[in-house]
PDB file of all heavy atoms in Angstrom:
ATOM      1  N   ALA A  17       2.529  -2.714   0.254  1.00  0.00           N
ATOM      2  CA  ALA A  17       2.811  -1.451   0.938  1.00  0.00           C
ATOM      3  C   ALA A  17       1.982  -0.316   0.335  1.00  0.00           C
ATOM      4  O   ALA A  17       1.432   0.511   1.064  1.00  0.00           O
ATOM      5  CB  ALA A  17       4.302  -1.138   0.841  1.00  0.00           C
ATOM      6  N   ALA A  18       1.871  -0.302  -0.998  1.00  0.00           N
ATOM      7  CA  ALA A  18       1.093   0.745  -1.673  1.00  0.00           C
ATOM      8  C   ALA A  18      -0.382   0.644  -1.300  1.00  0.00           C
ATOM      9  O   ALA A  18      -1.025   1.651  -1.001  1.00  0.00           O
ATOM     10  CB  ALA A  18       1.278   0.628  -3.182  1.00  0.00           C
ATOM     11  N   ILE A  19      -0.929  -0.571  -1.272  1.00  0.00           N
ATOM     12  CA  ILE A  19      -2.340  -0.766  -0.917  1.00  0.00           C
ATOM     13  C   ILE A  19      -2.575  -0.354   0.539  1.00  0.00           C
ATOM     14  O   ILE A  19      -3.558   0.319   0.852  1.00  0.00           O
ATOM     15  CB  ILE A  19      -2.744  -2.233  -1.156  1.00  0.00           C
ATOM     16  CG1 ILE A  19      -2.793  -2.523  -2.666  1.00  0.00           C
ATOM     17  CG2 ILE A  19      -4.104  -2.543  -0.529  1.00  0.00           C
ATOM     18  CD1 ILE A  19      -2.778  -3.998  -3.000  1.00  0.00           C
ATOM     19  N   GLY A  20      -1.649  -0.746   1.420  1.00  0.00           N
ATOM     20  CA  GLY A  20      -1.786  -0.399   2.832  1.00  0.00           C
ATOM     21  C   GLY A  20      -1.728   1.107   3.047  1.00  0.00           C
ATOM     22  O   GLY A  20      -2.556   1.660   3.757  1.00  0.00           O
ATOM     23  N   TRP A  21      -0.771   1.779   2.394  1.00  0.00           N
ATOM     24  CA  TRP A  21      -0.653   3.231   2.530  1.00  0.00           C
ATOM     25  C   TRP A  21      -1.897   3.928   1.984  1.00  0.00           C
ATOM     26  O   TRP A  21      -2.408   4.872   2.586  1.00  0.00           O
ATOM     27  CB  TRP A  21       0.595   3.716   1.777  1.00  0.00           C
ATOM     28  CG  TRP A  21       0.758   5.201   1.847  1.00  0.00           C
ATOM     29  CD1 TRP A  21       1.365   5.888   2.839  1.00  0.00           C
ATOM     30  CD2 TRP A  21       0.273   6.174   0.909  1.00  0.00           C
ATOM     31  NE1 TRP A  21       1.300   7.245   2.564  1.00  0.00           N
ATOM     32  CE2 TRP A  21       0.632   7.446   1.393  1.00  0.00           C
ATOM     33  CE3 TRP A  21      -0.435   6.078  -0.303  1.00  0.00           C
ATOM     34  CZ2 TRP A  21       0.305   8.609   0.699  1.00  0.00           C
ATOM     35  CZ3 TRP A  21      -0.757   7.255  -0.977  1.00  0.00           C
ATOM     36  CH2 TRP A  21      -0.388   8.488  -0.476  1.00  0.00           C
ATOM     37  N   PHE A  22      -2.393   3.444   0.851  1.00  0.00           N
ATOM     38  CA  PHE A  22      -3.561   4.064   0.235  1.00  0.00           C
ATOM     39  C   PHE A  22      -4.795   3.913   1.125  1.00  0.00           C
ATOM     40  O   PHE A  22      -5.560   4.859   1.300  1.00  0.00           O
ATOM     41  CB  PHE A  22      -3.817   3.426  -1.136  1.00  0.00           C
ATOM     42  CG  PHE A  22      -4.939   4.082  -1.891  1.00  0.00           C
ATOM     43  CD1 PHE A  22      -4.783   5.341  -2.427  1.00  0.00           C
ATOM     44  CD2 PHE A  22      -6.159   3.425  -2.044  1.00  0.00           C
ATOM     45  CE1 PHE A  22      -5.815   5.955  -3.117  1.00  0.00           C
ATOM     46  CE2 PHE A  22      -7.201   4.040  -2.733  1.00  0.00           C
ATOM     47  CZ  PHE A  22      -7.033   5.302  -3.274  1.00  0.00           C
ATOM     48  N   SER A  23      -4.971   2.724   1.733  1.00  0.00           N
ATOM     49  CA  SER A  23      -6.124   2.507   2.609  1.00  0.00           C
ATOM     50  C   SER A  23      -6.033   3.408   3.838  1.00  0.00           C
ATOM     51  O   SER A  23      -7.035   4.001   4.259  1.00  0.00           O
ATOM     52  CB  SER A  23      -6.217   1.044   3.013  1.00  0.00           C
ATOM     53  OG  SER A  23      -5.070   0.664   3.736  1.00  0.00           O
ATOM     54  N   VAL A  24      -4.829   3.551   4.414  1.00  0.00           N
ATOM     55  CA  VAL A  24      -4.652   4.428   5.571  1.00  0.00           C
ATOM     56  C   VAL A  24      -4.953   5.877   5.182  1.00  0.00           C
ATOM     57  O   VAL A  24      -5.616   6.602   5.915  1.00  0.00           O
ATOM     58  CB  VAL A  24      -3.214   4.293   6.131  1.00  0.00           C
ATOM     59  CG1 VAL A  24      -2.897   5.407   7.135  1.00  0.00           C
ATOM     60  CG2 VAL A  24      -3.036   2.929   6.781  1.00  0.00           C
ATOM     61  N   TYR A  25      -4.489   6.277   3.985  1.00  0.00           N
ATOM     62  CA  TYR A  25      -4.719   7.636   3.502  1.00  0.00           C
ATOM     63  C   TYR A  25      -6.202   7.910   3.311  1.00  0.00           C
ATOM     64  O   TYR A  25      -6.710   8.955   3.703  1.00  0.00           O
ATOM     65  CB  TYR A  25      -3.955   7.813   2.178  1.00  0.00           C
ATOM     66  CG  TYR A  25      -4.172   9.151   1.511  1.00  0.00           C
ATOM     67  CD1 TYR A  25      -3.579  10.298   2.022  1.00  0.00           C
ATOM     68  CD2 TYR A  25      -4.968   9.253   0.367  1.00  0.00           C
ATOM     69  CE1 TYR A  25      -3.777  11.520   1.414  1.00  0.00           C
ATOM     70  CE2 TYR A  25      -5.170  10.473  -0.248  1.00  0.00           C
ATOM     71  CZ  TYR A  25      -4.576  11.611   0.276  1.00  0.00           C
ATOM     72  OH  TYR A  25      -4.781  12.811  -0.332  1.00  0.00           O
ATOM     73  N   VAL A  26      -6.919   6.945   2.713  1.00  0.00           N
ATOM     74  CA  VAL A  26      -8.361   7.115   2.474  1.00  0.00           C
ATOM     75  C   VAL A  26      -9.103   7.222   3.799  1.00  0.00           C
ATOM     76  O   VAL A  26      -9.961   8.093   3.963  1.00  0.00           O
ATOM     77  CB  VAL A  26      -8.903   5.934   1.627  1.00  0.00           C
ATOM     78  CG1 VAL A  26     -10.433   5.911   1.636  1.00  0.00           C
ATOM     79  CG2 VAL A  26      -8.391   6.042   0.189  1.00  0.00           C
ATOM     80  N   VAL A  27      -8.766   6.347   4.758  1.00  0.00           N
ATOM     81  CA  VAL A  27      -9.426   6.391   6.072  1.00  0.00           C
ATOM     82  C   VAL A  27      -9.145   7.729   6.755  1.00  0.00           C
ATOM     83  O   VAL A  27     -10.039   8.342   7.344  1.00  0.00           O
ATOM     84  CB  VAL A  27      -8.953   5.206   6.948  1.00  0.00           C
ATOM     85  CG1 VAL A  27      -9.392   5.390   8.406  1.00  0.00           C
ATOM     86  CG2 VAL A  27      -9.498   3.891   6.399  1.00  0.00           C
ATOM     87  N   TYR A  28      -7.908   8.217   6.640  1.00  0.00           N
ATOM     88  CA  TYR A  28      -7.545   9.499   7.241  1.00  0.00           C
ATOM     89  C   TYR A  28      -8.343  10.637   6.618  1.00  0.00           C
ATOM     90  O   TYR A  28      -8.848  11.507   7.319  1.00  0.00           O
ATOM     91  CB  TYR A  28      -6.040   9.719   7.062  1.00  0.00           C
ATOM     92  CG  TYR A  28      -5.586  11.116   7.450  1.00  0.00           C
ATOM     93  CD1 TYR A  28      -5.517  11.472   8.795  1.00  0.00           C
ATOM     94  CD2 TYR A  28      -5.246  12.048   6.476  1.00  0.00           C
ATOM     95  CE1 TYR A  28      -5.109  12.751   9.153  1.00  0.00           C
ATOM     96  CE2 TYR A  28      -4.837  13.320   6.835  1.00  0.00           C
ATOM     97  CZ  TYR A  28      -4.769  13.675   8.161  1.00  0.00           C
ATOM     98  OH  TYR A  28      -4.379  14.928   8.504  1.00  0.00           O
TER      99      TYR A  28
END
Side-chain angles (χ1 to χ4, degrees):
I19 290 163
W21 179 86
F22 185 72
S23 62
V24 167
Y25 176 74
V26 167
V27 168
Y28 171 74

